[in-house]
Each structure stands twice: as structure tokens, then as C-alpha cells.
Amino acid sequence: MAQKLRLHGIPMSSCAARSMICLHEKGVEFELVLVDFFVAVEHKQPPFLSKNPFGQIPVLEDGNLTLFESRAINEYVSNKFKDQGTDLIRHDSLEESALVKVWAEVESHQFHPAIYPIFYQHLLAPLYGKSSNQAIIDEHLEKLRMVLDVYEDRLGQTKYLAGDFYSLADLHHMPMMFYFMKTPWGHVVNERPRVKAWWEDISSRDAFKKVAGGMTIGDK
């Protein structure tokens, strides 16, 4: 019997959530190993640092293999379990697979750098006893608007970012989008009808619903 995968992280973490969504999409059983992030600060202690020297979650253990970085974990899971669950990287089409990679790179290099500082300043900074910096939020809202304008155009051509199929390119957006919609600036999404419809579509998926309940940052 195959050994169950072990994912080290916490449900509220956007990065851990990204990999949890992928695992659910693929129908892969896994054990979530909770990391004490706030009291024991386990992710900065030697046992955890031996798994990820950068001290970040999540970490995936598959037998003797240890992986970190959620996007890399997701690609591994999608390849290893390619014959079950949702085909998130389009194994049977070189062109579609290439487009998944393109739009996954867009998420990583365009979308995430624009949206993460808003998430950090509005939702994370208060958890660490820091004040939000509205100037940083405003600057990155402008950057996010430009990215979402590109998405609005793209989604007029295809149902999802890489094509008329759901893929890692869409999935990787979900944790940050979810948290962003908790902020006062959700209208930036809602003002763009195709982006709004895309978000409502992907956030209705069962795999995401299984994870969203644990994403409690910003809840009162």
C-alpha cells in the first residue's frame, strides 16, 4: 500500500491552501501535519529547517522525497497522479500544456507581486501588531488593476486563463483571490465582469470549498 503524502502547514496559509486545493482536485489522500506558526514558531526551528531551509510552508513529504514551494509541489502532484482527478496540466496536449505554463508564470510573476502586498498590509500586518501602510496598498491596487485588465481581455477569448479548461493556471490564483475578496477592494474584481464570473466559477469548485473554511485570516 502506498504511503500517504504528508503536507506540513496550516490551513490559513495561502501557500499551504494552494497545495491542499491541488491535492483535493487530484483526489489524493494526504495527512496535514500542523505547524505551530505563532507560539512555538516551529517553521524556524531546526527540525523544520531540515525540510525547508527557508523556513516557509508548505512542505510535502512523499516517502524519501521532500519538496517545498507550493507551485512546485502542485506540479509534482499533478504529474505523479496524472491518471486520477482533474487534469491540471493537460498531459495529452503539448499546446495546452504550454499555455498552462504561460499563465501559471503570469500568476507567479505578475498577479502575485501585485496582490500579495495588499493582502499583507491589510490582513497580515495587524496579526503581527503592525499598522497597515495605505500608500503601499494604493500602489499595488494600481498594479493589480492593470493585471486584471489583461485577464478581462483574456477571459473574453477563453473560459479559463489557459483555455476552455480549468488548470493550475487558475488554481494558483485562488488563495490570494479569496483573501483579497475579504478586503474593502473586492470591487476591483467585481468591476470586471469576466474576471468576476471566472472567480465565481473557480471558487465554486468542491476542492476549493474543502479548503476555504480553514482560511480564516481576516475573519472577525
Side-chain angles (χ1 to χ4, degrees):
M1 182 176 179
Q3 186 175 2
K4 185 182 293 187
L5 302 185
R6 289 162 54 88
L7 186 73
H8 298 257
I10 52 176
M12 70 172 61
S13 159
S14 59
C15 295
R18 187 177 291 116
S19 289
M20 290 168 65
I21 296 165
C22 180
L23 287 160
H24 286 306
E25 283 285 354
K26 297 304 294 180
V28 177
E29 290 190 18
F30 66 97
E31 176 189 357
L32 179 62
V33 182
L34 294 176
V35 177
D36 188 335
F37 217 69
F38 298 104
V39 179
V41 198
E42 289 178 342
H43 60 300
K44 299 299 183 183
Q45 305 306 318
F48 188 88
L49 291 172
S50 69
K51 298 177 175 62
N52 181 354
F54 297 102
Q56 298 172 336
I57 56 175
V59 167
L60 182 77
E61 291 181 309
D62 184 8
N64 294 324
L65 178 66
T66 300
L67 299 173
F68 51 90
E69 297 293 347
S70 60
R71 294 170 183 83
I73 289 170
N74 289 0
E75 186 159 350
Y76 171 77
V77 168
S78 297
N79 276 303
K80 178 169 182 175
F81 300 98
K82 65 180 182 178
D83 294 326
Q84 69 183 68
T86 307
D87 181 1
L88 296 169
I89 54 179
R90 308 302 287 183
H91 290 93
D92 295 332
S93 170
L94 180 61
E95 291 183 0
E96 290 180 351
S97 177
L99 286 167
V100 172
K101 288 182 171 64
V102 167
W103 287 95
E105 288 290 306
V106 170
E107 183 278 328
S108 179
H109 296 292
Q110 304 295 333
F111 173 84
H112 190 78
I115 202 169
Y116 182 81
I118 304 167
F119 162 69
Y120 180 86
Q121 291 297 328
H122 187 73
L123 294 175
L124 272 191
L127 289 181
Y128 294 104
K130 300 178 181 179
S131 298
S132 298
N133 186 322
Q134 189 62 43
I136 293 175
I137 292 173
D138 291 342
E139 174 189 352
H140 286 86
L141 280 170
E142 282 306 306
K143 293 179 180 180
L144 181 62
R145 287 186 178 99
M146 289 189 288
V147 174
L148 295 182
D149 283 344
V150 174
Y151 284 21
E152 182 72 8
D153 181 67
R154 173 63 178 172
L155 293 166
Q157 304 169 45
T158 57
K159 184 176 181 180
Y160 300 99
L161 288 174
D164 292 324
F165 50 84
Y166 176 78
S167 72
L168 286 185
D170 307 290
L171 186 156
H172 285 176
H173 288 77
M174 298 177 76
M176 278 292 98
M177 282 285 287
F178 177 76
Y179 278 131
F180 180 75
M181 297 306 286
K182 292 186 179 187
T183 76
W185 303 287
H187 62 86
V188 172
V189 169
N190 293 331
E191 288 167 354
R192 293 160 174 81
R194 297 185 189 109
V195 174
K196 180 177 184 287
W198 167 73
W199 169 241
E200 289 174 347
D201 181 342
I202 65 176
S203 62
S204 71
R205 296 180 69 86
D206 289 342
F208 177 71
K209 291 179 180 179
K210 291 177 180 177
V211 176
M215 298 176 65
T216 56
I217 298 173
D219 291 355
K220 303 299 183 183

PDB file of all heavy atoms in Angstrom, residues 51-71:
ATOM      1  N   LYS A  51      13.868  20.389   6.549  1.00  0.00           N
ATOM      2  CA  LYS A  51      12.975  20.088   5.416  1.00  0.00           C
ATOM      3  C   LYS A  51      12.937  21.245   4.424  1.00  0.00           C
ATOM      4  O   LYS A  51      12.883  21.026   3.214  1.00  0.00           O
ATOM      5  CB  LYS A  51      11.566  19.783   5.919  1.00  0.00           C
ATOM      6  CG  LYS A  51      11.463  18.573   6.837  1.00  0.00           C
ATOM      7  CD  LYS A  51      10.050  18.399   7.329  1.00  0.00           C
ATOM      8  CE  LYS A  51       9.860  17.133   8.147  1.00  0.00           C
ATOM      9  NZ  LYS A  51      10.683  17.097   9.377  1.00  0.00           N
ATOM     10  N   ASN A  52      12.925  22.466   4.929  1.00  0.00           N
ATOM     11  CA  ASN A  52      12.944  23.655   4.085  1.00  0.00           C
ATOM     12  C   ASN A  52      13.842  24.695   4.751  1.00  0.00           C
ATOM     13  O   ASN A  52      13.444  25.324   5.729  1.00  0.00           O
ATOM     14  CB  ASN A  52      11.541  24.227   3.890  1.00  0.00           C
ATOM     15  CG  ASN A  52      11.543  25.457   2.976  1.00  0.00           C
ATOM     16  OD1 ASN A  52      12.595  25.954   2.575  1.00  0.00           O
ATOM     17  ND2 ASN A  52      10.364  25.961   2.663  1.00  0.00           N
ATOM     18  N   PRO A  53      15.039  24.893   4.239  1.00  0.00           N
ATOM     19  CA  PRO A  53      15.983  25.814   4.891  1.00  0.00           C
ATOM     20  C   PRO A  53      15.525  27.261   4.888  1.00  0.00           C
ATOM     21  O   PRO A  53      16.089  28.082   5.607  1.00  0.00           O
ATOM     22  CB  PRO A  53      17.267  25.640   4.055  1.00  0.00           C
ATOM     23  CG  PRO A  53      16.804  25.104   2.744  1.00  0.00           C
ATOM     24  CD  PRO A  53      15.613  24.243   3.050  1.00  0.00           C
ATOM     25  N   PHE A  54      14.477  27.586   4.105  1.00  0.00           N
ATOM     26  CA  PHE A  54      13.952  28.944   4.087  1.00  0.00           C
ATOM     27  C   PHE A  54      12.863  29.158   5.147  1.00  0.00           C
ATOM     28  O   PHE A  54      12.368  30.276   5.307  1.00  0.00           O
ATOM     29  CB  PHE A  54      13.413  29.282   2.697  1.00  0.00           C
ATOM     30  CG  PHE A  54      14.471  29.273   1.643  1.00  0.00           C
ATOM     31  CD1 PHE A  54      14.592  28.201   0.773  1.00  0.00           C
ATOM     32  CD2 PHE A  54      15.375  30.317   1.536  1.00  0.00           C
ATOM     33  CE1 PHE A  54      15.581  28.174  -0.197  1.00  0.00           C
ATOM     34  CE2 PHE A  54      16.371  30.308   0.568  1.00  0.00           C
ATOM     35  CZ  PHE A  54      16.479  29.227  -0.300  1.00  0.00           C
ATOM     36  N   GLY A  55      12.482  28.082   5.834  1.00  0.00           N
ATOM     37  CA  GLY A  55      11.533  28.206   6.928  1.00  0.00           C
ATOM     38  C   GLY A  55      10.147  28.637   6.514  1.00  0.00           C
ATOM     39  O   GLY A  55       9.492  29.405   7.207  1.00  0.00           O
ATOM     40  N   GLN A  56       9.687  28.141   5.361  1.00  0.00           N
ATOM     41  CA  GLN A  56       8.367  28.505   4.868  1.00  0.00           C
ATOM     42  C   GLN A  56       7.525  27.254   4.643  1.00  0.00           C
ATOM     43  O   GLN A  56       8.056  26.179   4.372  1.00  0.00           O
ATOM     44  CB  GLN A  56       8.504  29.289   3.551  1.00  0.00           C
ATOM     45  CG  GLN A  56       9.254  30.604   3.707  1.00  0.00           C
ATOM     46  CD  GLN A  56       9.550  31.267   2.382  1.00  0.00           C
ATOM     47  OE1 GLN A  56       9.605  30.618   1.342  1.00  0.00           O
ATOM     48  NE2 GLN A  56       9.744  32.575   2.406  1.00  0.00           N
ATOM     49  N   ILE A  57       6.216  27.418   4.776  1.00  0.00           N
ATOM     50  CA  ILE A  57       5.285  26.328   4.492  1.00  0.00           C
ATOM     51  C   ILE A  57       4.614  26.604   3.151  1.00  0.00           C
ATOM     52  O   ILE A  57       4.570  27.750   2.707  1.00  0.00           O
ATOM     53  CB  ILE A  57       4.237  26.186   5.621  1.00  0.00           C
ATOM     54  CG1 ILE A  57       3.487  27.520   5.855  1.00  0.00           C
ATOM     55  CG2 ILE A  57       4.883  25.705   6.894  1.00  0.00           C
ATOM     56  CD1 ILE A  57       2.367  27.427   6.867  1.00  0.00           C
ATOM     57  N   PRO A  58       4.159  25.520   2.493  1.00  0.00           N
ATOM     58  CA  PRO A  58       4.113  24.126   2.954  1.00  0.00           C
ATOM     59  C   PRO A  58       5.371  23.361   2.572  1.00  0.00           C
ATOM     60  O   PRO A  58       6.186  23.806   1.774  1.00  0.00           O
ATOM     61  CB  PRO A  58       2.923  23.572   2.164  1.00  0.00           C
ATOM     62  CG  PRO A  58       3.001  24.307   0.843  1.00  0.00           C
ATOM     63  CD  PRO A  58       3.457  25.697   1.196  1.00  0.00           C
ATOM     64  N   VAL A  59       5.472  22.178   3.190  1.00  0.00           N
ATOM     65  CA  VAL A  59       6.467  21.174   2.811  1.00  0.00           C
ATOM     66  C   VAL A  59       5.712  19.879   2.556  1.00  0.00           C
ATOM     67  O   VAL A  59       4.843  19.501   3.345  1.00  0.00           O
ATOM     68  CB  VAL A  59       7.520  20.977   3.911  1.00  0.00           C
ATOM     69  CG1 VAL A  59       8.344  19.721   3.659  1.00  0.00           C
ATOM     70  CG2 VAL A  59       8.434  22.193   4.014  1.00  0.00           C
ATOM     71  N   LEU A  60       6.025  19.219   1.450  1.00  0.00           N
ATOM     72  CA  LEU A  60       5.403  17.939   1.115  1.00  0.00           C
ATOM     73  C   LEU A  60       6.431  16.830   1.278  1.00  0.00           C
ATOM     74  O   LEU A  60       7.552  16.937   0.767  1.00  0.00           O
ATOM     75  CB  LEU A  60       4.893  17.938  -0.318  1.00  0.00           C
ATOM     76  CG  LEU A  60       4.187  16.650  -0.766  1.00  0.00           C
ATOM     77  CD1 LEU A  60       2.775  16.588  -0.190  1.00  0.00           C
ATOM     78  CD2 LEU A  60       4.144  16.535  -2.286  1.00  0.00           C
ATOM     79  N   GLU A  61       6.044  15.775   1.979  1.00  0.00           N
ATOM     80  CA  GLU A  61       6.884  14.584   2.100  1.00  0.00           C
ATOM     81  C   GLU A  61       6.178  13.425   1.408  1.00  0.00           C
ATOM     82  O   GLU A  61       5.033  13.107   1.720  1.00  0.00           O
ATOM     83  CB  GLU A  61       7.134  14.243   3.569  1.00  0.00           C
ATOM     84  CG  GLU A  61       8.026  15.260   4.276  1.00  0.00           C
ATOM     85  CD  GLU A  61       8.279  14.885   5.722  1.00  0.00           C
ATOM     86  OE1 GLU A  61       7.291  14.619   6.451  1.00  0.00           O
ATOM     87  OE2 GLU A  61       9.450  14.853   6.135  1.00  0.00           O
ATOM     88  N   ASP A  62       6.876  12.826   0.465  1.00  0.00           N
ATOM     89  CA  ASP A  62       6.386  11.653  -0.255  1.00  0.00           C
ATOM     90  C   ASP A  62       7.466  10.589  -0.156  1.00  0.00           C
ATOM     91  O   ASP A  62       8.392  10.541  -0.973  1.00  0.00           O
ATOM     92  CB  ASP A  62       6.096  12.000  -1.714  1.00  0.00           C
ATOM     93  CG  ASP A  62       5.491  10.831  -2.482  1.00  0.00           C
ATOM     94  OD1 ASP A  62       5.155   9.814  -1.852  1.00  0.00           O
ATOM     95  OD2 ASP A  62       5.364  10.946  -3.720  1.00  0.00           O
ATOM     96  N   GLY A  63       7.354   9.743   0.864  1.00  0.00           N
ATOM     97  CA  GLY A  63       8.411   8.774   1.125  1.00  0.00           C
ATOM     98  C   GLY A  63       9.703   9.499   1.455  1.00  0.00           C
ATOM     99  O   GLY A  63       9.746  10.323   2.369  1.00  0.00           O
ATOM    100  N   ASN A  64      10.754   9.227   0.692  1.00  0.00           N
ATOM    101  CA  ASN A  64      12.051   9.853   0.923  1.00  0.00           C
ATOM    102  C   ASN A  64      12.197  11.206   0.240  1.00  0.00           C
ATOM    103  O   ASN A  64      13.236  11.865   0.391  1.00  0.00           O
ATOM    104  CB  ASN A  64      13.181   8.930   0.446  1.00  0.00           C
ATOM    105  CG  ASN A  64      13.270   7.662   1.279  1.00  0.00           C
ATOM    106  OD1 ASN A  64      13.036   7.678   2.490  1.00  0.00           O
ATOM    107  ND2 ASN A  64      13.596   6.543   0.643  1.00  0.00           N
ATOM    108  N   LEU A  65      11.192  11.596  -0.512  1.00  0.00           N
ATOM    109  CA  LEU A  65      11.254  12.867  -1.241  1.00  0.00           C
ATOM    110  C   LEU A  65      10.619  13.978  -0.416  1.00  0.00           C
ATOM    111  O   LEU A  65       9.504  13.837   0.078  1.00  0.00           O
ATOM    112  CB  LEU A  65      10.522  12.736  -2.577  1.00  0.00           C
ATOM    113  CG  LEU A  65      10.448  14.001  -3.438  1.00  0.00           C
ATOM    114  CD1 LEU A  65      11.838  14.414  -3.919  1.00  0.00           C
ATOM    115  CD2 LEU A  65       9.507  13.790  -4.620  1.00  0.00           C
ATOM    116  N   THR A  66      11.335  15.077  -0.294  1.00  0.00           N
ATOM    117  CA  THR A  66      10.818  16.256   0.400  1.00  0.00           C
ATOM    118  C   THR A  66      10.833  17.438  -0.557  1.00  0.00           C
ATOM    119  O   THR A  66      11.858  17.730  -1.181  1.00  0.00           O
ATOM    120  CB  THR A  66      11.670  16.590   1.635  1.00  0.00           C
ATOM    121  OG1 THR A  66      11.648  15.479   2.544  1.00  0.00           O
ATOM    122  CG2 THR A  66      11.132  17.821   2.353  1.00  0.00           C
ATOM    123  N   LEU A  67       9.691  18.102  -0.686  1.00  0.00           N
ATOM    124  CA  LEU A  67       9.559  19.234  -1.588  1.00  0.00           C
ATOM    125  C   LEU A  67       9.018  20.440  -0.831  1.00  0.00           C
ATOM    126  O   LEU A  67       8.232  20.295   0.108  1.00  0.00           O
ATOM    127  CB  LEU A  67       8.598  18.909  -2.730  1.00  0.00           C
ATOM    128  CG  LEU A  67       8.951  17.748  -3.661  1.00  0.00           C
ATOM    129  CD1 LEU A  67       7.793  17.479  -4.606  1.00  0.00           C
ATOM    130  CD2 LEU A  67      10.219  18.056  -4.442  1.00  0.00           C
ATOM    131  N   PHE A  68       9.437  21.621  -1.262  1.00  0.00           N
ATOM    132  CA  PHE A  68       8.818  22.846  -0.762  1.00  0.00           C
ATOM    133  C   PHE A  68       8.548  23.763  -1.944  1.00  0.00           C
ATOM    134  O   PHE A  68       8.924  23.442  -3.066  1.00  0.00           O
ATOM    135  CB  PHE A  68       9.660  23.528   0.327  1.00  0.00           C
ATOM    136  CG  PHE A  68      11.110  23.752  -0.026  1.00  0.00           C
ATOM    137  CD1 PHE A  68      11.521  24.917  -0.651  1.00  0.00           C
ATOM    138  CD2 PHE A  68      12.073  22.799   0.300  1.00  0.00           C
ATOM    139  CE1 PHE A  68      12.853  25.136  -0.964  1.00  0.00           C
ATOM    140  CE2 PHE A  68      13.409  23.012   0.000  1.00  0.00           C
ATOM    141  CZ  PHE A  68      13.808  24.185  -0.639  1.00  0.00           C
ATOM    142  N   GLU A  69       7.863  24.873  -1.678  1.00  0.00           N
ATOM    143  CA  GLU A  69       7.316  25.804  -2.681  1.00  0.00           C
ATOM    144  C   GLU A  69       6.033  25.211  -3.274  1.00  0.00           C
ATOM    145  O   GLU A  69       6.050  24.226  -3.993  1.00  0.00           O
ATOM    146  CB  GLU A  69       8.315  26.150  -3.785  1.00  0.00           C
ATOM    147  CG  GLU A  69       9.550  26.882  -3.302  1.00  0.00           C
ATOM    148  CD  GLU A  69       9.259  28.293  -2.786  1.00  0.00           C
ATOM    149  OE1 GLU A  69       8.153  28.814  -3.016  1.00  0.00           O
ATOM    150  OE2 GLU A  69      10.151  28.854  -2.131  1.00  0.00           O
ATOM    151  N   SER A  70       4.918  25.862  -2.962  1.00  0.00           N
ATOM    152  CA  SER A  70       3.603  25.292  -3.270  1.00  0.00           C
ATOM    153  C   SER A  70       3.393  25.048  -4.764  1.00  0.00           C
ATOM    154  O   SER A  70       2.791  24.045  -5.151  1.00  0.00           O
ATOM    155  CB  SER A  70       2.493  26.204  -2.732  1.00  0.00           C
ATOM    156  OG  SER A  70       2.561  27.504  -3.314  1.00  0.00           O
ATOM    157  N   ARG A  71       3.884  25.933  -5.608  1.00  0.00           N
ATOM    158  CA  ARG A  71       3.659  25.754  -7.044  1.00  0.00           C
ATOM    159  C   ARG A  71       4.429  24.543  -7.567  1.00  0.00           C
ATOM    160  O   ARG A  71       3.944  23.814  -8.441  1.00  0.00           O
ATOM    161  CB  ARG A  71       4.042  27.030  -7.788  1.00  0.00           C
ATOM    162  CG  ARG A  71       3.139  28.229  -7.443  1.00  0.00           C
ATOM    163  CD  ARG A  71       3.706  29.533  -8.001  1.00  0.00           C
ATOM    164  NE  ARG A  71       2.903  30.692  -7.612  1.00  0.00           N
ATOM    165  CZ  ARG A  71       3.016  31.332  -6.457  1.00  0.00           C
ATOM    166  NH1 ARG A  71       3.895  30.910  -5.546  1.00  0.00           N
ATOM    167  NH2 ARG A  71       2.257  32.382  -6.184  1.00  0.00           N
TER     168      ARG A  71
END
